[in-house]
Amino acid sequence: GIKLSGLHFIGDFLDLNSLSAHDKGQVAIPGITLGKEYKEGNKVLDMFDKAFGSNNIERTFIYGNHEDRYLRHIKDIDNSKFADALTSPKEALKLEERGYKVYTNWKEDYHQLGQLQLIHGEFCGKSPARSHMDKLKSSVMFGHTHRVDIVYDGEKAGFNIGWGGDKNAPAF
């Protein structure tokens, strides 16, 4: 059988549409609140916890630009007064309690997995896999654009793994 040694989330696990600046001043998705998004996210993580049990595997969670919506939201002067009461994704999803190493800087943080850098990514365009691989001068795996793009160059490769969400879920 296959022996798994790690579980790595590389950003945009949550949409955090409830904190999006794109729909400022309106309800983007009726019935979807930050609390509802966190509740649904915990259900998914609970399924992973059940599947992996207490196996001693490496677990990482890298924020994406969608989780970063929380950090941008509390930086706003009008929202900063709520910073100690508004729960972060790291806290709400109980990531550290679940055993995850959490990276919150979506543009700079990465997790090294052998020769492969796991990142969230920040480039879009014609070939984001090429752009990330060329910038990092390393093999890289990311999901920022939510689409698939793969490039190989000698011993390096760039893997844009796409979106693994459930389009029928209420908030993802």
Side-chain angles (χ1 to χ4, degrees):
I2 298 173
K3 183 178 183 314
L4 298 176
S5 60
L7 176 60
H8 308 279
F9 291 99
I10 56 175
D12 294 354
F13 175 78
L14 298 172
D15 185 15
L16 292 191
N17 193 278
S18 54
L19 296 179
S20 175
H22 296 293
D23 301 308
K24 194 169 179 123
Q26 56 187 322
V27 175
I29 304 172
I32 301 300
T33 63
L34 182 61
K36 173 78 171 170
E37 289 187 80
Y38 285 156
K39 181 179 177 185
E40 294 299 317
N42 272 302
K43 284 181 187 177
V44 172
L45 289 175
D46 289 346
M47 287 189 301
F48 278 103
D49 288 349
K50 185 177 179 183
F52 286 96
S54 60
N55 293 344
N56 191 20
I57 62 168
E58 182 177 43
R59 299 170 197 249
T60 60
F61 190 102
I62 300 173
Y63 273 32
N65 55 303
H66 287 251
E67 286 86 9
D68 191 64
R69 287 175 173 172
Y70 165 81
L71 297 172
R72 291 190 308 265
H73 185 79
I74 62 168
K75 281 184 185 174
D76 182 294
I77 191 71
D78 292 328
N79 301 325
S80 63
K81 59 189 165 223
F82 303 117
D84 64 345
L86 191 61
T87 309
S88 73
K90 181 169 98 172
E91 296 164 330
L93 297 175
K94 303 175 234 129
L95 294 172
E96 290 178 337
E97 293 168 41
R98 294 176 187 271
Y100 288 87
K101 178 173 182 168
V102 181
Y103 300 91
T104 59
N105 185 337
W106 73 277
K107 287 187 178 182
E108 301 293 328
D109 286 341
Y110 67 93
H111 183 75
Q112 195 71 36
L113 192 61
Q115 302 268 336
L116 184 66
Q117 278 193 23
L118 302 178
I119 64 172
H120 176 65
E122 63 176 305
F123 301 125
C124 297
K126 185 176 178 183
S127 179
R130 164 85 47 204
S131 299
H132 285 93
M133 185 182 69
D134 288 348
K135 177 190 175 195
L136 297 172
K137 300 185 183 351
S138 170
S139 291
V140 62
M141 182 179 285
F142 65 100
H144 175 61
T145 67
H146 303 194
R147 61 190 175 106
V148 175
D149 175 35
I150 300 171
V151 65
Y152 296 93
D153 188 355
E155 295 191 16
K156 293 182 297 198
F159 303 98
N160 186 1
I161 62 170
W163 182 64
D166 177 357
K167 69 178 184 171
N168 296 314
F172 306 104

